Amino acid sequence: MFNQSVFVKSLFLACVVSTPMIASALPSDANQPIRLLADRATYSDRTGVTTYSGKVTIEQGTLKIAADNLTVNLDTNNRSIKTAVATGRPATMQQVVTQEKGLAKGQANRIDYNAVTGIVTLTGNAKLTQAGSSFSGNVIRYSLSEGDVEANAGGGQRVELIFPPSESRSHRGVR
């Protein structure tokens, strides 16, 4: 239900801006402002569902998401995010997980984020890269807090994993 009144827009923006976007891996990300751009936004106070469409981009600290559409489900108090679903051709996300683990980048036709578990699920032509390693498959589940990855193939495909050479072997000229 889209209402263009100034009151609804103000309420909608106040809800989104006051809600932490994604449980951030870097502690400083959660303290950063959220910048969201989209061609259209709708919010339902009754359901706590916010939908963005048309070249959606979100930035909060090191977190960046780009998608054609994004749907955010708030908790029962409409104060924090339970889940977020980004779709696109592809939808992309990136975030510095920790200083040690560096930047994780993902892309897929659909990216589901569960704020309760901290799990990102990439579905459909999914690819995840981090620290020189890459994982490709139909479905990839990635834990932002643990760094664990589970990749699954589908439709006659196989999972592809690529790992960089270890530093000790590359320094000796062994590849």
Side-chain angles (χ1 to χ4, degrees), residues 85-103:
V85 178
T87 58
R89 300 241 178 239
T92 62
M93 58 82 58
Q94 68 178 40
Q95 184 175 30
V96 174
V97 179
T98 63
Q99 292 299 337
E100 300 78 35
K101 293 180 182 177
L103 182 67

Side-chain angles (χ1 to χ4, degrees), residues 32-172:
Q32 300 298 316
I34 298 167
R35 181 170 189 251
L36 189 143
L37 296 170
D39 293 338
R40 180 177 173 164
T42 62
Y43 171 72
S44 170
D45 189 51
R46 182 180 54 78
T47 63
V49 174
T50 307
T51 304
Y52 306 93
S53 59
K55 298 179 186 174
V56 180
T57 60
I58 301 170
E59 294 181 13
Q60 183 183 25
T62 67
L63 173 69
K64 293 177 175 55
I65 297 174
D68 297 331
N69 299 290
L70 176 74
T71 302
V72 176
N73 293 293
L74 302 176
D75 67 9
T76 54
N77 299 324
N78 291 343
R79 298 190 58 103
S80 63
I81 291 175
K82 285 183 5 182
T83 62
V85 178
T87 58
R89 300 241 178 239
T92 62
M93 58 82 58
Q94 68 178 40
Q95 184 175 30
V96 174
V97 179
T98 63
Q99 292 299 337
E100 300 78 35
K101 293 180 182 177
L103 182 67
K105 291 184 176 184
Q107 68 177 45
N109 296 341
R110 177 182 170 119
I111 299 174
D112 290 81
Y113 174 73
N114 184 317
V116 176
T117 63
I119 303 290
V120 175
T121 303
L122 302 111
T123 306
N125 299 311
K127 183 173 185 178
L128 177 73
T129 60
Q130 183 178 9
S133 298
S134 70
F135 303 84
S136 298
N138 189 48
V139 178
I140 298 172
R141 286 182 187 80
Y142 180 64
S143 170
L144 288 174
S145 59
E146 302 296 323
D148 296 342
V149 178
E150 176 187 325
N152 294 301
Q157 297 178 352
R158 300 184 74 183
V159 172
E160 179 180 47
L161 309 170
I162 300 173
F163 300 100
S166 68
E167 286 186 35
S168 62
R169 288 192 307 194
S170 63
H171 288 298
R172 293 182 295 186

Side-chain angles (χ1 to χ4, degrees), residues 7 10 28 76 87 99 174-175:
F7 175 74
S10 298
S28 61
T76 54
T87 58
Q99 292 299 337
V174 177
R175 296 190 193 272

